[in-house]
Amino acid sequence: MDSHHFLQTALVFLLATVIAVPLTKRFRLGSVLGYLVAGVVIGPQMLGLVADTAGVATISEFGVVLMLFVIGLELSPQRLWVMRRSVFGTGLLQVLATSLIIGLAGYYLYGLTTKAAAIIGGSLALSSTAFGLQILAERKEAGSAYGRQAFAILLFQDLAAIPLIAAVPLLASSNTKHGLDLVASARTIFGILAVVVGGRYLLRPVFRFVARANAVEVSTATALLVVMGTAWLMEVVGVSSTLGAFLAGVLLADSEYRHELESHIEPFKGLLLGLFFISVGMSMDVLQLLHQPLMVAALVGLLLLLKGALLWPLGRIVGGLTRSDALRLAMLLACGGEFAFVVLKQAMEARLITAKQQSLLVLVITLTMALTPVLVVLCAKLLDSVAEKKPTREYDEITADAPRVIIAGFGRVGQIVGRVLRAQRVPFVALESSIEQMDTLRRFNNTSLFFGDPARADLLRAAQADKAEVFVLATDDPDANLRIARLVRRQYPHLKIVARARNRQHAFRLMDLGVEMPVRETFYSSLKMTRMTLESLGLSSELATDRVDRFREHDIRLLKAQYLVYDDDARLTQTSREALKDLMHIFDADDDPVAKHERETSEPSKDMSEEEE
């Protein structure tokens, strides 16, 4: 490839990426779909801007190698042990059941050979890690119950992809007239053992030696050398290069250099993985979609329905998810995955499947991946509309004997308040509107907890708010927080409201409603972290506590002063600047010997740990 042609190809790739990826991300469809669309548009079947698709595919495959190396870095034994039930429970069942059913369907319905059915069944059982994790991150649902379950299944699928990739050359070697090639199998086992043993005893000393050079470029070169070296060795012994990269990552998962390696590899991985998806889009047989639309649509629908139908009961029974979360899990993981592209290409090159079968399956997998973001959005809207029209369960009938305290929201903050009140034998009623939270808390025999919306006047009457003394507003939704405060202040003006505030603006709005001093949810924990930071810098515990106490008093005064002008941005900025100068003067005055002597002889300040939550 001459330099002019290379620059032209590079410009085409960059331009297509810059246009397609932001568009798909803007509609929350993910960057992977943008790469695929860009590949289709610039590919030989549409605009034909890039002709050397084979050369591009060869370079881009290194992106998959780097991705597997990073996945291997994440698979430390400790992490797998903590997640063993989800990973080796739901994940194992999903891969085995899906592989078996798809493989049997291919064997009996489509007349595939046993080896082709096994490879196709295993590859289609995998889902897209890139799509799944990206969608969870964009929707901020990675920490939800179904998000954690999805991550565990994807983690096992990544593990399952390794033996599947390694099985392709072994199955191909068994096509010889002598059956399974024992020499090739022995060479493969020897190569894997060499990588494991060599990595165990050589990699850490090598990285330790390189680290002494204190040169970032040398560390990056060493990381790439390890990945490329193990990948090359695996190819020499007849195994996929991706297996070597994965083994290298696993061997370094517990290394002290793991995070540094990941930071060096990540930029290369992102660029080359994007190039890989573009090359997949370029290789898509779009004409086949135009010539056989019914067959392609039937295969796409069949794959989504089959995987979704298997994922839903697994999420419900094995994963313990609710119906709605199990449906979200099924929509997220019903698509095909990027590892299937690698497996199917190797299977085609090893003549386990035909080029036509590989082209058709790549088209089907790509279309399922393209539909996944749309299905996830539609599923979320459907579940939200159903939840608005009809609650999944009726609100509890509240039976309490004259509680002294009512707690609205029984999450992290409300539970701590409730535990102390229960220990003090203070009667209280807690109202929680989250069904998932209720199901979790009811296991701990919370007899004072009831399912209901604290913003409803009839539930507050049933909770006997007119007889209570204190109303603890602990919900984590600022808008709901303000609605409840407004209702309580209007109907029960005698109640003292102790309210949780997200930030200063939220605190100002609560003060508008008559809440005397809202408790900012991260304020006291931040003060304690500040004190620990000062102590780590060498300040004595007494001086650090004194500085933090003075800041706390100063900030409370500032909050009250800014409340009077919080709707005036100019005055708010001015008061913040003036407050910083005042605080610096206070600390400078504290360094005066006379002031220091007066503080030491006065009553010691309360330790901040006593004010922590």
Side-chain angles (χ1 to χ4, degrees):
M1 183 183 292
D2 56 60
S3 60
H4 174 73
H5 188 251
F6 173 79
L7 286 175
Q8 179 181 334
T9 303
L11 285 173
V12 169
F13 278 128
L14 292 173
L15 182 62
T17 301
V18 168
I19 294 174
V21 174
L23 283 175
T24 54
K25 291 199 73 172
R26 182 175 182 180
F27 295 102
R28 303 184 69 180
L29 299 177
S31 59
V32 176
L33 181 59
Y35 288 123
L36 293 173
V37 171
V40 172
V41 173
I42 66 176
Q45 296 189 12
M46 290 194 70
L47 298 182
L49 300 178
V50 178
D52 187 15
T53 57
V56 172
T58 302
I59 298 173
S60 66
E61 284 177 6
F62 193 55
V64 181
V65 172
L66 293 178
M67 181 174 72
L68 273 168
F69 176 73
V70 173
I71 289 173
L73 285 176
E74 296 291 333
L75 295 180
S76 63
Q78 292 86 349
R79 188 176 191 183
L80 284 177
W81 180 253
V82 170
M83 301 179 63
R84 62 190 183 279
R85 292 183 179 178
S86 297
V87 173
F88 298 102
T90 315
L92 175 62
L93 288 173
Q94 186 273 328
V95 171
L96 288 179
T98 309
S99 301
L100 182 62
I101 293 176
I102 294 178
L104 290 175
Y107 181 79
Y108 287 106
L109 299 180
Y110 294 95
L112 299 176
T113 64
T114 305
K115 295 171 185 176
I119 290 297
I120 290 175
S123 60
L124 294 183
L126 306 179
S127 305
S128 175
T129 302
F131 258 67
L133 297 184
Q134 186 180 51
I135 290 172
L136 288 173
E138 289 176 352
R139 299 182 64 84
K140 298 180 180 179
E141 294 175 344
S144 63
Y146 97 93
R148 293 191 299 270
Q149 193 67 59
F151 177 76
I153 294 174
L154 290 170
L155 191 57
F156 184 84
Q157 289 181 356
D158 292 339
L159 287 172
I162 304 307
L164 188 62
I165 291 171
V168 173
L170 293 177
L171 289 174
S173 68
S174 66
N175 281 334
T176 62
K177 60 182 179 180
H178 302 292
L180 183 64
D181 190 343
L182 295 178
V183 176
S185 301
R187 187 169 62 244
T188 299
I189 295 173
F190 175 78
I192 293 174
L193 288 175
V195 170
V196 172
V197 174
R200 178 81 177 176
Y201 296 102
L202 293 178
L203 286 182
R204 292 193 183 190
V206 167
F207 280 108
R208 196 176 297 116
F209 172 77
V210 171
R212 292 172 184 166
N214 197 24
V216 176
E217 63 276 11
V218 178
S219 298
T220 304
T222 307
L224 291 173
L225 175 64
V226 169
V227 179
M228 296 177 71
T230 51
W232 171 80
L233 180 59
M234 287 293 100
E235 279 199 343
V236 168
V237 299
V239 183
S240 169
S241 58
T242 52
L243 177 60
F246 177 78
L247 287 176
V250 171
L251 291 171
L252 292 169
D254 288 328
S255 167
E256 61 270 28
Y257 306 104
R258 172 191 148 197
H259 296 293
E260 183 181 6
L261 283 169
E262 192 170 355
S263 65
H264 291 327
I265 293 294
E266 191 65 34
F268 298 97
K269 186 203 79 171
L271 287 172
L272 290 173
L273 199 58
L275 185 61
F276 170 75
F277 286 119
I278 290 178
S279 70
V280 170
M282 291 170 59
S283 64
M284 276 181 58
D285 191 357
V286 181
L287 294 178
Q288 190 169 15
L289 176 60
L290 299 177
H291 294 156
Q292 298 175 305
L294 294 179
M295 185 182 73
V296 173
L299 289 175
V300 169
L302 185 62
L303 180 60
L304 291 173
L305 286 173
L306 180 60
K307 292 184 72 173
L310 291 173
L311 281 162
W312 192 86
L314 284 175
R316 286 282 293 152
I317 300 171
V318 183
L321 300 177
T322 62
R323 290 186 180 89
S324 58
D325 277 352
L327 183 59
R328 289 187 176 96
L329 179 72
M331 292 296 103
L332 184 69
L333 302 184
C335 65
E338 53 272 1
F339 281 124
F341 299 141
V342 180
V343 176
L344 293 172
K345 182 179 179 182
Q346 290 185 340
M348 187 267 293
E349 292 171 348
R351 297 183 179 178
L352 293 175
I353 61 175
T354 65
K356 186 176 181 180
Q357 290 171 337
Q358 187 251 356
S359 175
L360 176 61
L361 290 173
V362 167
L363 178 61
V364 169
I365 293 169
T366 305
L367 291 175
T368 60
M369 292 170 68
L371 288 172
T372 296
V374 180
L375 292 175
V376 170
V377 171
L378 292 176
C379 177
K381 289 184 177 180
L382 175 65
L383 292 174
D384 290 342
S385 63
V386 171
E388 290 176 2
K389 292 179 181 178
K390 181 181 178 181
T392 53
R393 57 180 275 188
E394 296 295 329
Y395 290 140
D396 291 339
E397 181 180 350
I398 300 176
T399 55
D401 296 329
R404 297 184 62 189
V405 179
I406 294 177
I407 303 176
F410 213 59
R412 294 170 298 163
V413 176
Q415 288 177 51
I416 293 176
V417 177
R419 285 163 58 188
V420 175
L421 292 177
R422 187 174 287 114
Q424 291 285 110
R425 295 180 176 83
V426 175
F428 69 91
V429 167
L431 300 175
E432 174 59 54
S433 59
S434 169
I435 297 176
E436 290 79 9
Q437 185 77 348
M438 287 293 302
D439 292 339
T440 301
L441 295 174
R442 277 289 167 84
R443 293 182 298 173
F444 300 98
N445 194 27
N446 286 291
T447 55
S448 302
L449 176 62
F450 299 94
F451 175 60
D453 184 2
R456 287 182 51 169
D458 56 335
L459 285 174
L460 292 183
R461 283 196 298 272
Q464 303 183 56
D466 56 326
K467 299 177 182 177
E469 302 171 32
V470 181
F471 191 92
V472 178
L473 193 45
T475 55
D476 61 356
D477 183 351
D479 294 331
N481 193 295
L482 291 170
R483 286 198 306 271
I484 298 168
R486 193 175 295 111
L487 174 66
V488 172
R489 179 57 65 212
R490 184 174 66 248
Q491 296 200 2
Y492 306 100
H494 71 284
L495 280 176
K496 177 177 176 57
I497 300 178
V498 178
R500 168 187 181 182
R502 173 70 60 86
N503 48 40
R504 294 180 90 88
Q505 288 296 325
H506 186 200
F508 292 148
R509 283 166 173 75
L510 286 168
M511 293 167 73
D512 280 341
L513 296 172
V515 179
E516 294 180 1
M517 186 50 62
V519 181
R520 287 167 282 168
E521 57 187 28
T522 59
F523 183 59
Y524 290 104
S525 55
S526 301
L527 291 178
K528 185 171 183 178
M529 290 178 67
T530 304
R531 190 196 68 187
M532 295 170 67
T533 302
L534 293 176
E535 290 176 358
S536 300
L537 291 173
L539 272 70
S540 65
S541 177
E542 294 78 9
L543 181 57
T545 301
D546 179 73
R547 289 287 166 91
V548 171
D549 280 348
R550 285 177 176 271
F551 174 81
R552 175 174 55 83
E553 296 168 0
H554 175 268
D555 193 72
I556 290 174
R557 290 195 300 270
L558 176 63
L559 182 72
K560 294 179 179 178
Q562 287 185 330
Y563 168 62
L564 302 176
V565 295
Y566 80 85
D567 53 351
D568 186 340
D569 289 338
R571 287 285 296 138
L572 200 63
T573 304
Q574 181 183 352
T575 54
S576 297
R577 291 174 179 171
E578 293 173 352
L580 178 59
K581 293 180 181 179
D582 292 341
L583 185 64
M584 294 174 68
H585 289 320
I586 291 173
F587 284 166
D588 289 341
D590 285 345
D591 293 332
D592 182 75
V594 176
K596 182 178 180 181
H597 177 72
E598 290 178 354
R599 289 199 312 276
E600 290 176 348
T601 56
S602 63
E603 183 179 354
S605 300
K606 184 190 299 183
D607 188 81
M608 280 304 305
S609 61
E610 298 176 5
E611 300 186 32
E612 173 66 16
E613 294 187 346

